[in-house]
Amino acid sequence: MMEAHIEVAGYRDGFIIRGININVSNGEVLVVTGPSGSGKTTLAKALTGLLGRSGGLFKGSILINGYPLLEMPSEKIYELVTYIPQEPWYALVGYTVYAEHCFILSQLGLKCSSVFLEKLGLAGKIDSLTMNLSAGETQRLLWAEALAKKSNVLILDEPLVYLDREARRIVADVVRDARDNGASIIIVDHDPLFWRELAGKLLVLENGVAKYYGEWDTGVLQQFHQPSKTMRVVNDEVAVDIENIWFKYPGEKPLFRGLSFQVKKSLITGLTGRNGAGKSTLLKLIAGILKPTKGFINRLGTPVYIPENPLLYFTKPTPREELLYMANGREEKALEAAEIFDISRILDTPLARLSSGERRRLALASAYLGGFDIYLIDEPTGGLDQANASRVLEVLLELVNEGKTIVVATHDERVIKLLDYEFRMG
């Protein structure tokens, strides 16, 4: 059981959450949702004890089975609580998949076994370098570790963002089993309806406070307009011509063998398919970040690549500086983009303190200002609530209508509905 009474939590001179009280019984699932930047991840970090121990601000109490979490030694918290962050790449320490998994088990005195890796579909990745995993495979690895630990409390921040359909089904089964075995589970998700059959309680955050807390109630969830696809004329103009490319990462099997593919100009093309099929890699190849070992990629226009981890995209320390740089110093243009992507209120907040959704919208706003010809976007709506996802999709449609070419890697059905062409991989 986890009980939390949070008076204040967050960052000094920055965003805070206030007056949040929750009680998650053994064998119960609480789903936390709300707009991007409403405090969901701040709450998750507070509940793990990370916030108070890493220089953040915390006033209140957190109890696990009646014992104060903040008075426990770190190793005891590690045993009792499993936290899977929204940005899974920050949670890995091992060099290979097997080394990572064995290290986690060794911290609890458990014998190393590949059983849970196999259950999460990673049997063929045991010897792979963790740096070569896709975001979805990284999430699967963290889930395998969570299964092996059998913690009393699971805190999961946007656990579905990078997972394919099969992996989502597996994760839902894992959560169901953990609940049935008495775990207290807290799930932060922009798509709470995915969990409606498992959830007992619902917490809706807005501007750092609880807008709703209680038994599951679909009626309190706000519905938003989904942008509709407009009919576009498919012409023969090619924006990207991929000719017989081969590619492999060091120490891995070839990912592409003789792949040929054309991206038509002024359309939205989607790369879909299972985790590890090569969607992100293909975007990087098109962008010129990676080079094929054989074959050619011809681009008719200037590309920009926005990675699934937006922090890798930025060149400046704050949103204002980033947008001004991309707008060539034209403040009016930068502020217009900030308004479009709903980031006006965070322009002077350091990037490290932005939520994942805010970083993603900032990256898209920056690229939007760049005036590129080909936009290569990895998970454009990852971690975004319905309102901000709709805003981003409307901008993508606007770019295409202006003659731009967009290629996205995605698992999000909201994006897939707008595609002009879907290239399913794996």
Side-chain angles (χ1 to χ4, degrees):
M1 172 184 285
M2 171 171 272
E3 298 176 65
H5 307 281
I6 300 175
E7 297 176 30
V8 176
Y11 303 94
R12 291 175 175 82
D13 302 321
F15 182 82
I16 59 174
I17 57 176
R18 295 178 180 273
I20 297 175
N21 301 297
I22 61 172
N23 186 322
V24 187
S25 301
N26 296 331
E28 186 171 53
V29 177
L30 166 66
V31 173
V32 181
T33 193
S36 175
S38 62
K40 301 186 297 295
T41 295
T42 300
L43 174 62
K45 290 181 178 178
L47 294 176
T48 64
L50 286 174
L51 197 60
R53 294 176 185 231
S54 60
L57 176 65
F58 181 85
K59 292 182 180 180
S61 64
I62 300 170
L63 303 176
I64 295 182
N65 298 329
Y67 295 96
L69 176 76
L70 298 181
E71 295 179 13
M72 296 178 185
S74 299
E75 56 269 22
K76 186 63 176 178
I77 297 176
Y78 182 77
E79 176 186 342
L80 293 175
V81 180
T82 289
Y83 171 51
I84 300 182
Q86 180 175 358
E87 297 165 320
W89 38 82
Y90 295 133
L92 300 182
V93 294
Y95 182 64
T96 67
V97 170
Y98 196 63
E100 159 73 18
H101 193 60
C102 290
F103 173 77
I104 296 302
L105 298 185
S106 71
Q107 300 306 296
L108 299 172
L110 299 175
K111 183 179 179 181
C112 191
S113 169
S114 62
V115 171
F116 295 112
L117 293 175
E118 293 167 2
K119 186 169 184 177
L120 269 295
L122 294 173
K125 292 286 183 175
I126 287 177
D127 296 320
S128 295
L129 303 181
T130 52
M131 65 177 293
N132 290 341
L133 297 179
S134 70
E137 290 170 331
T138 301
Q139 279 191 315
R140 289 186 185 214
L141 175 54
L142 296 180
W143 273 101
E145 294 170 359
L147 269 179
K149 285 179 64 179
K150 299 180 180 178
S151 300
N152 295 75
V153 177
L154 295 177
I155 300 175
L156 317 169
D157 195 351
E158 298 288 358
L160 305 175
V161 171
Y162 305 107
L163 297 182
D164 58 43
R165 292 169 184 165
E166 174 61 17
R168 290 183 177 208
R169 183 194 62 76
I170 293 172
V171 164
D173 289 341
V174 169
V175 169
R176 183 179 291 104
D177 290 345
R179 181 200 62 181
D180 293 346
N181 287 320
S184 301
I185 305 170
I186 300 170
I187 301 173
V188 173
D189 206 314
H190 71 274
D191 182 16
L193 292 176
F194 179 87
W195 304 102
R196 61 185 176 272
E197 294 181 6
L198 295 175
K201 289 180 179 176
L202 176 67
L203 171 62
V204 181
L205 295 179
E206 188 172 291
N207 296 323
V209 298
K211 183 179 179 182
Y212 173 85
Y213 173 65
E215 298 301 311
W216 178 270
D217 183 354
T218 303
V220 304
L221 299 173
Q222 190 173 359
Q223 300 299 313
F224 291 92
H225 167 69
Q226 163 79 15
S228 57
K229 178 179 176 180
T230 57
M231 296 302 295
R232 283 181 285 274
V233 177
V234 179
N235 54 57
D236 291 330
E237 291 187 76
V238 176
V240 182
D241 191 9
I242 300 169
E243 302 178 17
N244 192 35
I245 63 167
W246 290 64
F247 181 81
K248 69 182 292 292
Y249 287 106
E252 302 285 340
K253 297 178 181 178
L255 190 56
F256 300 129
R257 294 183 175 94
L259 175 66
S260 295
F261 174 52
Q262 286 187 334
V263 176
K264 300 294 185 178
K265 184 180 178 182
S266 302
L267 297 177
I268 302 179
T269 297
L271 309 180
T272 65
R274 62 175 179 80
N275 295 138
K279 299 184 294 294
S280 297
T281 299
L282 185 54
L283 288 182
K284 293 175 184 177
L285 286 164
I286 295 173
I289 297 170
L290 297 175
K291 305 294 182 184
T293 53
K294 294 181 185 178
F296 301 94
I297 299 178
N298 299 312
R299 309 166 196 84
L300 301 179
T302 306
V304 61
Y305 170 63
I306 303 177
E308 54 203 353
N309 179 1
L311 279 178
L312 301 178
Y313 173 85
F314 303 120
T315 58
K316 302 296 178 182
T318 67
R320 186 182 301 275
E321 292 169 285
E322 176 71 25
L323 296 182
L324 283 172
Y325 174 73
M326 292 303 294
N328 294 317
R330 294 175 293 171
E331 185 173 11
E332 183 179 349
K333 194 72 174 175
L335 294 178
E336 180 186 346
E339 186 69 26
I340 291 172
F341 287 89
D342 192 28
I343 53 175
S344 299
R345 64 184 177 86
I346 59 166
L347 287 177
D348 297 306
T349 304
L351 296 180
R353 291 189 176 179
L354 299 182
S355 72
S356 180
E358 289 167 341
R359 292 173 189 165
R360 193 171 301 280
R361 299 204 312 276
L362 172 59
L364 291 167
S366 176
Y368 173 77
L369 287 169
F372 299 96
D373 302 304
I374 304 168
Y375 290 78
L376 309 165
I377 312 173
D378 211 338
E379 298 291 353
T381 55
L384 295 184
D385 58 86
Q386 293 288 353
N388 282 302
S390 295
R391 183 175 287 109
V392 165
L393 294 177
E394 286 170 355
V395 173
L396 296 186
L397 290 172
E398 181 181 330
L399 285 171
V400 169
N401 291 335
E402 292 175 1
K404 309 298 184 180
T405 301
I406 296 175
V407 186
V408 297
T410 186
H411 296 292
D412 194 333
E413 292 294 335
R414 297 173 297 185
V415 182
I416 293 173
K417 289 177 182 177
L418 295 183
L419 298 179
D420 296 301
Y421 180 75
E422 180 178 358
F423 183 58
R424 189 162 182 82
M425 303 176 66

